Structure formats: structure tokens, C-alpha cells
Amino acid sequence: MKKILVPTDFSEYSEYALEVAAQMAKKHESGIVLLHMIGMSESVLANSEIAEEQEAKYYLKLAKKKLKDITKKEYLREIPVEVIIQNYKDFKEVNQVAKEQNCDLVVMGSHGTSGLSDLFVGSNTEKVIRTSEIPVLVIKHQHLDFKVNKMVFASDLENESIPAFKKASALAQLLSASIEIVYINDAGANFMGVDDVRKRVADFKRELDQSVEVHFYNYHTVEGGLFNYCLMNNVDLLVIPTHGRKGFAHFLVGSLAENVSNHAKLPVMTIKL
């Protein structure tokens, strides 16, 4: 892992993400790219050029000071940190910065407390997830000692998720973590009998051509099933494949949010299909 991109809006959740990124950077001798998007408001952009320039200079100066203070944090000592300030309005540009800087991972904070739905609908986190071509690790609370011993890859057992699993498997190896696959057999229109699920799992494992445990778990919602499975099996990181509005993420839209504190704290990583 060469570089980790951390978008920051100077919130406590952004700092949680930066602390985790710093721990990972020290362990893997990586650098950190700290990105802040000023995001000038439409009202500012509608002002005269002189007023706009003065406003932009003020926010730029303020952002530079805050970023300088952040880079002096004790937990960033001896880590190469590069600071980038942009005035992007479109969050897909986070992906562009990641590519330009050859980053391997995006780590960002989220204040979401009601499960996975808030990651995929309307939030800034969702905007990054939807467009990022590299894995995005979402941190929801402070981790003074971030360790990943066990990862779970959520799958719909379709072959298109196999490349994403292989990326997750490589990351698990890098983190010295175990990884397994789980399929949530929800109570909706897609519910299958035990024999059908077992056949689907067997077919998927054959196509995967890799030795890995594949489990299925019955629950009334996909989202609730994922969180309960992770909670019952002491999972440290949940990995979800997605490609924008399609793929696995769309199963979560509209599902019942499980407002359970332990669930909300679980780190989630998304990998684009």
C-alpha cells in the first residue's frame, strides 16, 4: 500500500478516519494524501469577481491554517503527508485525485448511525462511494487501535462480484486478516429454499476457484442480516461490492435501518465491481 487518500471537512468523523489511516500508514510504510474541498457556495459564486476573489482567499487561508494544524498531530509524526485543497463541487473528483496521486485506498469518516442505508443514499460518503474506482473504507467512530482480524465479504453470489472479492482477499492478506463470504437470504421476493441456496453457493464456489468459506444467513432484510451476522461472528470489517446505483448496494436502499449502536460502529469497505 503506497498512499492513502483521506478527504477531510475538519469534522470529528474526518479525524477518526485520519487516525485510522495513520495507523495503517505506519504499519505498511505508506504516505497520506489529505484532501479538503472548499466547496464554494452558489451565492458566493454569484457575487462579483472582486467579492468572489476576496471570499475565496478568506476560505483558502482558513483551510490552509486548519490543514497545517492537522499535519502537526502527534499520530502523523514520521508519516509523509501531502495536502491538497480543491474547490470541487462534484465528488467524483475525489476519484480523480486518488488516481493522480496513485492512492490505493480512500479512508473517510461518516456520521451515519442507522446502518448502511445512510452510506448509499444522499450523503457525501455515498457520492464518493458511487464514483471511486479504488476501495473506500468508511470509519464511523474512533479507533485508538485499529485492527482487522476478520473480514466478511457480502455477496449476492453473482459471478460479477468475483473480481471485487479477489481485491478484498488481497487486502485481507495485506492486513493479516481472515476473510469469508456471506449471502443474506432475505424474506422478500428473492427468498430461496435451503437446497436452492446450497446449490447456488456450490456453483459460486466453483466459479470462484478459491478456497474460502461461503455462508448463508436467513433474515428479513439484507442490511439487518449483514449486521447481525457480523455481530454474532465478531467481524471487524464488512466489505460490500458496488457499482454505483446498481449491484449489491441497491438491495440496501429502502431496507429497514437497524439503529443499533454496535452495528453503527462497524467499519465498512466498498469495492467497485
Side-chain angles (χ1 to χ4, degrees):
M1 189 178 297
K2 298 177 182 178
K3 288 185 181 180
I4 302 171
L5 176 64
V6 184
T8 180
D9 59 1
F10 306 123
S11 68
E12 61 179 321
Y13 300 97
S14 293
E15 182 153 13
Y16 297 159
L18 184 57
E19 289 176 344
V20 167
Q23 293 174 47
M24 297 179 73
K26 286 181 179 179
K27 184 175 181 180
H28 302 289
E29 299 182 347
S30 308
I32 289 178
V33 178
L34 191 59
L35 172 65
H36 175 66
M37 296 177 288
I38 297 177
M40 304 293 286
S41 67
E42 295 298 331
S43 61
V44 170
L45 297 176
N47 289 335
S48 67
E49 290 185 5
I50 295 177
E52 178 187 333
E53 184 178 356
Q54 291 176 339
E55 190 87 6
K57 285 182 177 179
Y58 169 77
Y59 284 115
L60 180 61
K61 183 177 180 180
L62 185 62
K64 285 183 176 179
K65 182 182 184 305
K66 288 184 176 181
L67 288 167
K68 185 176 181 181
D69 291 341
I70 289 175
T71 59
K72 293 179 180 179
K73 296 282 187 178
E74 179 65 26
Y75 59 78
L76 289 174
R77 179 178 291 186
E78 298 181 359
I79 299 175
V81 178
E82 183 175 353
V83 173
I84 297 178
I85 300 176
Q86 299 288 3
N87 186 35
Y88 293 141
K89 298 293 291 183
D90 191 336
F91 279 81
K92 69 182 181 182
E93 298 297 346
V94 173
N95 180 61
Q96 185 62 35
V97 171
K99 290 198 297 184
E100 290 173 355
Q101 297 295 320
N102 295 315
C103 296
D104 305 290
L105 178 68
V106 176
V107 181
M108 63 186 304
S110 171
H111 65 276
T113 58
S114 59
L116 292 176
S117 297
D118 59 334
L119 295 185
F120 293 99
V121 185
S123 67
N124 289 339
T125 310
E126 177 266 337
K127 294 171 186 175
V128 174
I129 287 172
R130 180 154 41 93
T131 56
S132 179
E133 297 176 26
I134 66 173
V136 179
L137 173 60
V138 181
I139 300 298
K140 299 183 181 183
H141 75 117
Q142 189 174 34
H143 295 262
L144 297 178
D145 185 14
F146 184 73
K147 290 182 180 178
V148 178
N149 296 316
K150 187 172 185 178
M151 294 169 53
V152 160
F153 182 86
S155 177
D156 55 8
L157 302 182
E158 297 291 343
N159 290 346
E160 67 174 350
S161 68
I162 291 177
F165 171 76
K166 290 184 176 179
K167 289 183 180 180
S169 181
L171 179 63
Q173 186 173 6
L174 181 67
L175 298 176
S176 300
S178 66
I179 187 169
E180 60 189 51
I181 296 173
V182 64
Y183 169 75
I184 305 301
N185 191 28
D186 69 297
N190 296 317
F191 181 80
M192 295 187 293
V194 173
D195 291 340
D196 290 333
V197 174
R198 286 176 176 167
K199 181 180 183 305
R200 190 166 178 178
V201 168
D203 292 342
F204 182 77
K205 290 183 71 172
R206 185 166 52 252
E207 292 295 327
L208 184 62
D209 193 27
Q210 185 173 334
S211 179
V212 61
E213 291 293 326
V214 181
H215 305 277
F216 66 90
Y217 185 73
N218 295 324
Y219 204 79
H220 59 278
T221 65
V222 174
E223 181 178 13
L226 285 175
F227 278 137
N228 274 280
Y229 181 87
C230 290
L231 185 62
M232 292 174 61
N233 291 277
N234 297 315
V235 174
D236 302 301
L237 177 62
L238 172 62
V239 184
I240 298 176
T242 181
H243 48 69
R245 294 291 185 181
K246 300 178 181 179
F248 194 86
H250 84 277
F251 290 112
L252 303 174
V253 178
S255 64
L256 296 175
E258 304 293 323
N259 192 11
V260 180
S261 60
N262 284 335
H263 294 174
K265 293 178 180 180
L266 180 69
V268 176
M269 177 179 287
T270 62
I271 298 179
K272 192 170 185 178
L273 294 175

